[in-house]
Amino acid sequence: MLFNTLTYLFIFLPICFLLFFYVFKEASSQNRLRLIVLFSLIFYSIWNVSLIYLFIGSILFNWYCSKLMDIYQHKKRVILAFGIASNVLILAYYKYFNFFSEN
């Protein structure tokens, strides 16, 4: 599913808005954040289910990096740089690997 499809515009997006603004109106911000993460995973898994493990792994890796930054305050910049570099490398691999391997 893409952002400019009718399915997204008239089915997926209204359901997200209704749940976020009306059903979970009294919910805590933590539960609303969980709802957004769940809908993000659903959105990307509709396009390609096999990539859901990559997204979950990336989320868990970033969460672990944030916990390490809390523990090791003096190495916060190093951990942040490592986390960002890891995410950029993963993105570059999945975006450009086929292009470079074919050329």
Side-chain angles (χ1 to χ4, degrees):
M1 175 181 356
L2 298 174
F3 290 114
N4 59 356
T5 60
L6 294 176
T7 306
Y8 174 79
L9 194 59
F10 294 115
I11 296 172
F12 189 79
L13 189 62
I15 291 171
C16 291
F17 275 137
L18 285 172
L19 284 173
F20 187 80
F21 288 112
Y22 295 110
V23 176
F24 285 95
K25 186 176 184 178
E26 301 299 322
S28 67
S29 61
Q30 193 74 13
N31 286 336
R32 293 177 96 178
L33 180 64
R34 288 182 183 130
L35 181 74
I36 294 296
V37 170
L38 176 69
F39 274 111
S40 298
L41 290 174
I42 290 170
F43 176 78
Y44 287 111
S45 68
I46 287 173
W47 180 61
N48 190 350
V49 177
S50 64
L51 291 179
I52 195 82
Y53 301 112
L54 177 68
F55 290 124
I56 292 173
S58 177
I59 290 168
L60 292 174
F61 173 76
N62 291 323
W63 175 79
Y64 184 69
C65 284
S66 72
K67 294 301 174 190
L68 285 176
M69 286 172 29
D70 286 341
I71 294 170
Y72 301 107
Q73 291 288 325
H74 59 284
K75 295 190 180 204
K76 191 180 268 191
R77 287 183 182 225
V78 174
I79 297 169
L80 179 64
F82 175 72
I84 291 173
S86 299
N87 284 305
V88 169
L89 285 174
I90 290 170
L91 178 65
Y93 173 77
Y94 280 98
K95 189 165 178 82
Y96 298 114
F97 179 75
N98 288 336
F99 173 74
F100 287 121
S101 66
E102 290 174 2
N103 293 327

